[in-house]
Amino acid sequence: MRRRVRNTINNCGYISDTNKMLTSTNSELSIYDLKPREVIAEIGFGTGWLTGVILIHYDSLTYYANDIDEASLKAIDPITKKYLDSRKTPNSNKLIIVKGTTTKTNLPENTFDKIIVRETFHHFEYPNEMLQDIKKLLKLNGKLFVYEP
């Protein structure tokens, strides 16, 4: 998974109009059907904007943000803090950031209700190995969502 981060770390992935972000992703988010107390992984979070939308508009999730890009990993904490400042209610989500490798996510096995791979699959250097790893991460009846436009 390689990601190029175009903005500075302070502004990387941050979009101030969070209502517009939600509106523009509502149809996609409805497919994910996120529910309180679910454990979710986003593999290849990149600039962190989807992570931000979810942390603002959903409650009681355990959300793992996973990437291998150093700039993305450095930027995710300040970006999510900016997003969480715009929540209308106190944050009840738990965010866990995990650095992966080109062949493994380093996420815990048999843990996830849902895994989101959004605009990232084409960055996998070893897609077969990554898919084998992802398969081990899902709970029984867990769902994998791959979005590649």
Side-chain angles (χ1 to χ4, degrees), residues 19 23-24 40 45 48 53 75 78-79 81 98 102 106 113 133 147 149:
N19 288 325
T23 303
S24 68
I40 312 297
F45 63 79
V53 169
I79 292 303
K81 284 180 180 143
V98 177
T102 58
N106 293 326
D113 298 292
D133 183 53
Y147 175 77

Side-chain angles (χ1 to χ4, degrees), residues 4-120:
R4 289 186 345 177
V5 179
R6 294 183 189 101
N7 301 345
T8 64
I9 287 176
N10 289 335
N11 293 318
C12 172
Y14 182 72
I15 300 169
S16 60
D17 189 345
T18 58
N19 288 325
K20 185 176 181 179
M21 288 171 61
L22 180 63
T23 303
S24 68
T25 57
N26 260 342
S27 61
E28 178 184 343
L29 291 170
S30 69
I31 292 169
Y32 302 150
D33 192 29
L34 305 178
K35 304 280 188 222
R37 293 177 298 289
E38 285 187 322
V39 182
I40 312 297
E42 180 185 355
I43 297 174
F45 63 79
T47 60
W49 74 268
L50 180 65
T51 305
V53 169
I54 289 171
L55 293 177
I56 292 170
H57 296 287
Y58 290 86
D59 291 304
S60 303
L61 297 175
T62 300
Y63 198 87
Y64 285 74
N66 175 267
D67 211 305
I68 66 169
D69 182 73
E70 290 296 332
S72 295
L73 291 161
K74 288 178 185 174
I76 194 69
D77 274 335
I79 292 303
T80 54
K81 284 180 180 143
K82 280 185 173 184
Y83 282 121
L84 289 172
D85 286 344
S86 68
R87 273 187 65 102
K88 295 184 181 6
T89 59
N91 179 35
S92 60
N93 298 303
K94 180 178 180 183
L95 175 65
I96 302 165
I97 300 162
V98 177
K99 181 181 181 182
T101 70
T102 58
T103 57
K104 288 187 61 80
T105 61
N106 293 326
L107 294 166
E109 292 185 11
N110 195 34
T111 300
F112 298 95
D113 298 292
K114 295 171 182 159
I115 296 176
I116 301 167
V117 180
R118 186 181 196 285
E119 297 182 359
T120 301

